[in-house]
Amino acid sequence: MNILAINGSPRKKWNTAMLLGSALEGAAAAGATTKLVHLYDYDYKGCISCFECKRIGGKNYGRCAVKDGLKPLLEEAAAADALILGTPVYFGAETGEMRSFMERMLFPYLTYTPGYASIFPRKIPTALIYDMNVPEAAIVERQYDSFLERARGFMERTFGACEILTANDTLQFDDYAKYLCTVWDADAKAKRRKEVFPQDLAKAYALGGRLAAGLGSV
């Protein structure tokens, strides 16, 4: 059981990475082999609309034809038994790096046929982890639920079942006094970090365990 987690945050030791790390700990405890990679370590672009992945009889049919720094990771993702993608929310969506990665990973498998059927050769469990500054109520108020479900839909159509975990009202800075951010209550942020974020990490741990347990029953 090989579970790959992909960090779409530029920060390697902060909220997203911590949540992914906890998920992988849960997966490892359930017997899986795990790996965490950081997208900001790779040099790549999003989809360039060459459509080589759609060319009938083409040598790149069903896979991204672009040869850049992302190619080895796309191959590794295709070989994984389960995938966990993690990203902070920037401007109401995934980070640019995560969005570009998802374009490159998902589009080659989705066909321009009725229902946009997937040609990925297997069904694998996946998960999406999102962390954000806003509180839980803002998910609906700001229509974040729409982009979350849209992302889940693409993952499910391509690979199979996809679970979403969100961590809200997360700590953005070590020291809020250093930055102009009066919209936030620094003490409240610190309190939530101490009391709620450990619960988010526990949820991520359980998520990883469920992914690994599901693979073990296949």
Side-chain angles (χ1 to χ4, degrees), residues 4-9 15-24 36 83-89 93-95 98 102 126-132 147-148 151 155 162-168 170 197 200-201 203-208 210-211:
L4 178 65
I6 299 172
N7 177 21
S9 170
N15 301 316
T16 310
M18 293 172 69
L19 290 162
L20 289 171
S22 187
L24 292 184
L36 173 64
L83 292 171
I84 309 174
L85 310 187
T87 177
V89 173
E94 303 88 1
T95 61
M98 178 55 77
M102 292 174 75
T126 64
L128 297 169
I129 295 178
Y130 290 87
D131 57 274
M132 59 197 83
F147 90 80
L148 292 172
M155 294 291 284
C162 178
E163 183 173 349
I164 290 181
L165 173 66
T166 62
N168 292 80
T170 51
F197 193 64
D200 295 329
L201 293 174
K203 291 176 183 177
Y205 184 95
L207 182 155
R210 286 193 298 275
L211 286 181

Side-chain angles (χ1 to χ4, degrees), residues 4 7 9 17 19 35 41 46 60-61 65 68 85 102 117 160 185 194 218:
L4 178 65
N7 177 21
S9 170
L19 290 162
K35 182 178 180 180
D41 287 342
N60 291 297
Y61 180 78
D68 62 6
L85 310 187
M102 292 174 75
D185 181 330
K194 182 178 180 180
V218 173

Side-chain angles (χ1 to χ4, degrees), residues 13-55:
K13 297 182 179 180
W14 205 241
N15 301 316
T16 310
M18 293 172 69
L19 290 162
L20 289 171
S22 187
L24 292 184
E25 288 177 8
T33 299
T34 66
K35 182 178 180 180
L36 173 64
V37 298
H38 305 282
L39 284 181
Y40 279 76
D41 287 342
Y42 294 81
D43 184 14
Y44 65 98
K45 299 177 181 179
C47 176
I48 63 171
S49 197
C50 68
F51 295 109
E52 287 302 312
C53 62
K54 303 286 184 281
R55 187 181 295 277

Side-chain angles (χ1 to χ4, degrees), residues 129-202:
I129 295 178
Y130 290 87
D131 57 274
M132 59 197 83
N133 280 318
V134 298
E136 287 84 354
I139 290 180
V140 174
E141 291 171 358
R142 301 189 183 188
Q143 299 182 330
Y144 283 13
D145 52 333
S146 295
F147 90 80
L148 292 172
E149 287 305 318
R150 184 169 60 247
R152 189 214 300 265
F154 285 130
M155 294 291 284
E156 288 185 337
R157 181 180 293 143
T158 306
F159 299 118
C162 178
E163 183 173 349
I164 290 181
L165 173 66
T166 62
N168 292 80
D169 203 5
T170 51
L171 192 72
Q172 192 169 12
F173 311 113
D174 284 320
D175 185 354
Y176 277 69
K178 293 180 179 179
Y179 307 95
L180 179 60
C181 54
T182 52
V183 70
W184 307 115
D185 181 330
D187 291 336
K189 283 285 190 179
K191 185 174 186 291
R192 185 173 176 102
R193 178 67 159 203
K194 182 178 180 180
E195 297 178 357
V196 178
F197 193 64
Q199 299 175 32
D200 295 329
L201 293 174

